[in-house]
Amino acid sequence: MARILREDDLLRDDSDDLMKRLYKLVPSQTQDVISMTLFVVVLPIGFLFEMFFVVGDFYAPWSSDWLLRVGILSGLYVNCLINYVLMCRTGPNGRNSVLPNTVQSGFRFCHSCRAQAPPRAYHCPVCDSCAFRRDHHCSFGAVSLNY
């Protein structure tokens, strides 16, 4: 018997998909939780402290000199945040979350993932997944980085 899809089912599937994506962003390793907390909580607090107390001691707040230095600091801070978001969003294998599972010459079997891995793919023990051309595991983004 064919099942008729209702709008409620589609909304539930979308919300389940969103929850799965959000859950994947939360790191599971202790080192990743600590470093991500430092990056997401301590860095903004340090930026505000630098902006209002350190630069504020040398220049009068809201003066042209203060605004110039805060503008440069804000640009560097926004650059860090954009790079962080792009690093977390892209992941180790580009936009694809898994490597292609095809049997070709040169591919080898990864016993941890139980899948075929391309010649330059390595298994990350922290992420517990294979990453194509893996360089190292970044604890700040809780992802494996490749070159």
Side-chain angles (χ1 to χ4, degrees):
M1 183 191 261
R3 182 174 174 222
I4 299 173
L5 289 176
R6 297 186 324 227
E7 190 175 329
D8 296 346
D9 293 335
L10 294 175
L11 290 175
R12 190 174 325 123
D13 290 342
D14 288 343
S15 65
D16 289 345
D17 185 45
L18 179 65
M19 291 305 293
K20 286 178 185 177
R21 285 183 175 183
L22 289 175
Y23 186 71
K24 283 180 74 175
L25 287 176
V26 177
S28 59
Q29 299 285 328
T30 305
Q31 68 182 13
D32 293 341
V33 171
I34 292 170
S35 60
M36 188 176 264
T37 303
L38 286 173
F39 192 81
V40 174
V41 175
V42 175
L43 186 66
I45 292 171
F47 173 72
L48 292 173
F49 178 79
E50 175 83 22
M51 194 168 64
F52 286 107
F53 292 105
V54 176
V55 177
D57 282 346
F58 294 105
Y59 304 100
W62 306 107
S63 68
S64 62
D65 291 334
W66 185 83
L67 288 173
L68 174 71
R69 276 133 182 105
V70 168
I72 292 171
L73 285 173
S74 299
L76 291 173
Y77 179 70
V78 168
N79 185 18
C80 283
L81 289 180
I82 289 172
N83 285 322
Y84 177 75
V85 168
L86 289 175
M87 176 186 64
C88 292
R89 200 175 114 212
T90 304
N93 298 322
R95 300 238 182 252
N96 301 328
S97 60
V98 293
L99 294 171
N101 196 9
T102 60
V103 179
Q104 294 179 357
S105 63
F107 279 41
R108 60 179 173 70
F109 186 75
C110 177
H111 294 283
S112 300
C113 294
R114 297 184 181 192
Q116 297 292 328
R120 292 180 290 174
Y122 297 99
H123 189 81
C124 177
V126 180
C127 294
D128 197 30
S129 65
C130 280
F132 187 61
R133 298 182 346 176
R134 180 179 174 267
D135 185 33
H136 66 280
H137 180 82
C138 177
S139 293
F140 289 107
V143 295
S144 291
L145 298 177
N146 51 2
Y147 54 94

